Amino acid sequence: MIRTLTLLLILMTHGAMADPVSGAAQALNGLRAQNGLPPVALSPRLQKAAEAHASDMAKRGYFSHRGANGTTIGTRVKRTGYRFCFVAENIAKGQKTLAEVMESWANSAGHRRNMLSDQARDFGLARASGNVWVMVLGRAGC
């Protein structure tokens, strides 16, 4: 127990852990509503995938949709137990606030397409040290 708490404190101090982003659902669903789309719901499994990828990129110092171990978003999401028929990922680095990263993604055709996909039903959004952001959108089953 003490070892686990010590490790957790070390990781938090060094910023290796990604955090859920407060206000993410409101920001994303606001954009979707402006475009006549239904809201998406926060998914604990997609959140876990977003946090893990953001943390890995921050810890290892890379920036890519492909994981350091070669994984794709599909593989990372499946590992959480989320069985999808649609999945998409947005990544960003350097934006200091949720508003900044949402604006960046909204002004990028590919990222905007992901956020406004009519296939998306669920999402997760995380931010790691160094302002590394990961959003995962998905739809289970279908």
Side-chain angles (χ1 to χ4, degrees):
M1 177 70 169
I2 292 174
R3 260 191 207 166
T4 302
L5 288 174
T6 302
L7 179 59
L8 181 60
L9 287 171
I10 290 169
L11 289 173
M12 289 173 68
T13 302
H14 288 78
M17 295 181 70
D19 296 316
V21 178
S22 178
Q26 184 178 3
L28 177 57
N29 286 326
L31 177 67
R32 291 177 61 83
Q34 290 171 5
N35 288 276
L37 293 165
V40 291
L42 181 63
S43 162
R45 290 182 172 157
L46 294 183
Q47 183 64 35
K48 183 177 178 181
E51 290 174 10
H53 191 49
S55 292
D56 190 55
M57 286 193 291
K59 179 182 174 184
R60 296 176 189 262
Y62 72 97
F63 184 72
S64 175
H65 287 286
R66 187 162 297 276
N69 59 1
T71 58
T72 64
I73 181 58
T75 301
R76 291 190 297 272
V77 166
K78 284 180 186 175
R79 285 182 180 164
T80 71
Y82 189 92
R83 301 293 173 233
F84 64 89
C85 61
F86 167 81
V87 69
E89 178 182 66
N90 288 354
I91 62 174
K93 185 174 180 181
Q95 294 84 352
K96 295 178 183 171
T97 66
L98 175 61
E100 287 178 18
V101 78
M102 290 298 292
E103 183 179 352
S104 292
W105 284 333
N107 290 323
S108 162
H111 295 110
R112 183 179 182 85
R113 183 172 43 253
N114 289 344
M115 293 189 301
L116 297 179
S117 172
D118 62 355
Q119 293 294 310
R121 298 292 181 269
D122 306 308
F123 84 102
L125 176 63
R127 174 182 170 184
S129 65
N131 292 312
V132 175
W133 301 81
V134 176
M135 176 186 283
V136 179
L137 298 124
R139 181 175 181 183
C142 300

